[in-house]
Amino acid sequence: MTASSKSAAARIDGWKSIGAHFGRDRTTAIRWARERGLPVHRLPGGKTGTVYALRDELDAWAASLRDPKPADRVSTAAPGRPLWQRPGAAASLLLLLAVGAGLWTMTQPASSARAIAAAPVLPVDPGVAQRFLEARDLVADRNAGSIERAIETLRTVTRDDPGYGPGYAALAEALILSREFGSRSDADAFPEARAAALDALRLSPSLASAQRVNGFVAYWWDRDFGAAKRYFERALALAPNDANGHFWFGNILADHGDGKAALTHLNDARTLLPGSVAIQTDLAWAQWSMGDEAAAVAALTDLEQRHADFAVIHDCLSVIHLAKGDYRGFVTAQQSFAKLRQNAELAGRIEAVGAALDEGDARAHAVLMEQALADLAAGDLRSRAWPSFLLSVAGDRAGLVQMLHQATARRERWGDAGLVRSIAVKWQGDPGVQRQLEVLTAS
């Protein structure tokens, strides 16, 4: 073999091939380069930013993770008890969304040097460090089984290194994602996620992901947009190139109705993390929420064809189908969603709607309303936006007006920009409905 052929054999070109060297996809390779120091070289010039890696360097990097040297780690020992050793915490632990648990130091500007110096990279103990990395990879897989394994693993990380802030941030993120990709309800996931997020913030206030997860909890659990916005602004000040910071903030802005800002942050996230199916899905959902239905449906349909195993795509499409009065399309998409989430309860609910649909749309609507009202009574729905949307789809003005009055009487504040827009468009000539929507969505 000539010297030039040896050199060619030692070189791996492109993100896809680099990921394949480890049995991973291109997105994982990009994330490892950004967050773990995967040795990747960039060829100068050109518009596409061609990258390559050397096999020997990749293998040495992988070996260093399996056998980390204590001198290379920053001590994270700090006073504090693990979450489940605190009074009253055990019950919440028995209760049953992206990636990035705070290894953000490589993306920080020079002005953040002080925060970077103080930020822990990995736990001191090599075994705990390895579990932490494995858990983050499991979360990145974005399926119900892997996220549950990640949660269990991260609980052991926070138990064995209770002073390691990124461990709590990663646990909070995994719990949050389990609502979307796993079988947990908000009530199952958010209380433990909040506790973990607050621990992360207490231990590592300069950690961008600690600020970010608290912002997510503040919006989706507390429904406090002001607090969520402040957390995300701090997170992005700490880590302006954190794709997940832009992604999650864009998600919240889209739901809140700040469409232009949402698209800005989601496109920033897509630029920073190209190839992310989750970001592309949220971007399409934001477009639908803003009223650009053609672009949203085209994007989601394309994503569904290429990534049929990504649960949230089906969830988004189901709502879009229902907004147009397509109950059959809603049921079909929700069946796929429930199957991918491995959620037997959700599967049973949608089967009940499907069986009712055999008797007609009116019967299917009645079952959906029964389920929504039961969820509302149980506290699983925290606003009346969903049942109002269902009543709007069915053309039941009297029921819709009554539901809107109940919501305003209870001082509900809605996000749900896509559902609200759908209602507003259908009843655009009805000042009574429009006034109630304005009250419910006022900041």
Side-chain angles (χ1 to χ4, degrees):
M1 183 180 290
T2 65
S4 60
S5 62
K6 288 180 181 178
S7 175
R11 177 170 141 174
I12 303 174
D13 292 308
W15 288 115
K16 184 176 180 180
S17 297
I18 293 169
H21 182 71
F22 298 102
R24 298 284 179 170
D25 60 17
R26 66 185 297 276
T27 303
T28 301
I30 293 169
R31 177 166 55 82
W32 283 358
R34 187 180 69 251
E35 299 176 356
R36 299 196 202 171
L38 180 71
V40 174
H41 307 278
R42 189 175 299 275
L43 292 173
K47 295 181 179 180
T48 58
T50 304
V51 299
Y52 70 93
L54 301 177
R55 293 180 187 277
D56 290 347
E57 291 182 358
L58 295 180
D59 293 340
W61 172 84
S64 73
L65 291 182
R66 288 192 295 268
D67 185 24
K69 299 176 182 178
D72 295 334
R73 305 301 180 208
V74 179
S75 175
T76 61
R81 298 166 65 187
L83 184 64
W84 43 83
Q85 291 182 4
R86 295 179 193 165
S92 66
L93 286 170
L94 294 175
L95 293 173
L96 296 180
L97 227 2
V99 191
L103 302 182
W104 47 273
T105 57
M106 287 178 285
T107 64
Q108 301 310 296
S111 60
S112 299
R114 181 174 300 175
I116 292 171
V121 176
L122 284 175
V124 176
D125 184 277
V128 178
Q130 184 64 26
R131 275 181 276 143
F132 174 72
L133 294 173
E134 289 171 353
R136 293 192 62 244
D137 287 338
L138 287 168
V139 171
D141 288 341
R142 287 294 203 280
N143 66 66
S146 68
I147 288 176
E148 285 304 314
R149 294 197 301 276
I151 290 169
E152 293 305 317
T153 301
L154 288 166
R155 283 171 175 162
T156 71
V157 169
T158 55
R159 179 197 66 205
D160 295 340
D161 194 343
Y164 183 55
Y168 290 100
L171 176 58
E173 288 188 357
L175 286 160
I176 286 168
L177 290 170
S178 73
R179 304 159 41 254
E180 199 165 350
F181 299 95
S183 59
R184 294 169 188 256
S185 67
D186 284 2
D188 290 332
F190 268 120
E192 186 182 351
R194 179 205 289 283
L198 291 174
D199 276 327
L201 194 65
R202 172 179 59 82
L203 292 165
S204 302
S206 62
L207 192 65
S209 62
Q211 298 286 345
R212 170 161 45 84
V213 294
N214 276 280
F216 199 88
V217 172
Y219 184 78
W220 289 107
W221 190 241
D222 299 334
R223 289 293 179 180
D224 187 340
F225 176 73
K229 185 170 183 287
R230 290 190 293 274
Y231 278 121
F232 274 100
E233 287 173 344
R234 293 180 199 130
L236 290 171
L238 287 165
N241 293 324
D242 175 21
N244 289 303
H246 290 285
F247 176 23
W248 288 27
F249 195 23
N251 170 278
I252 283 170
L253 289 166
D255 184 80
H256 192 251
D258 299 334
K260 185 176 180 180
L263 292 179
T264 296
H265 283 284
L266 289 169
N267 279 313
D268 285 346
R270 191 177 183 184
T271 300
L272 291 162
L273 196 60
S276 168
V277 179
I279 293 172
Q280 293 176 66
T281 302
D282 263 37
L283 187 56
W285 180 253
Q287 290 173 316
W288 182 76
S289 297
M290 294 174 63
D292 191 354
E293 183 170 329
V297 171
L300 288 167
T301 301
D302 176 64
L303 287 167
E304 181 187 30
Q305 291 172 351
R306 294 186 292 114
H307 304 282
D309 60 344
F310 192 74
V312 182
I313 296 170
H314 303 284
D315 194 28
C316 293
L317 284 170
S318 75
V319 177
I320 294 173
H321 286 307
L322 190 56
K324 295 184 291 187
D326 180 5
Y327 286 87
R328 181 63 63 189
F330 169 78
V331 168
T332 300
Q334 277 289 306
Q335 287 171 335
S336 297
F337 179 57
K339 181 178 180 180
L340 289 167
R341 284 189 60 179
Q342 301 176 23
N343 188 322
E345 180 182 358
L346 180 59
R349 286 165 60 109
I350 197 61
E351 287 302 323
V353 178
L357 186 58
D358 291 338
E359 302 176 31
D361 289 357
R363 181 59 190 144
H365 165 73
V367 173
L368 282 168
M369 281 301 301
E370 289 169 8
Q371 293 175 352
L373 294 176
D375 290 342
L376 197 61
D380 293 333
L381 278 181
R382 308 198 73 192
S383 83
R384 287 164 174 76
W386 177 250
S388 296
F389 171 71
L390 294 176
L391 290 162
S392 175
V393 168
D396 183 354
R397 183 188 184 279
L400 172 61
V401 169
Q402 182 181 19
M403 188 67 67
L404 294 174
H405 277 301
Q406 290 176 4
T408 54
R410 288 164 174 75
R411 300 180 181 274
E412 291 182 6
R413 287 294 176 266
W414 291 2
D416 303 289
L419 304 186
V420 171
R421 182 193 58 78
S422 178
I423 299 170
V425 168
K426 181 155 187 172
W427 304 93
Q428 57 187 332
D430 191 320
V433 171
Q434 299 297 330
R435 280 196 299 269
Q436 294 297 322
L437 291 176
E438 289 171 4
V439 172
L440 290 164
T441 57
S443 297

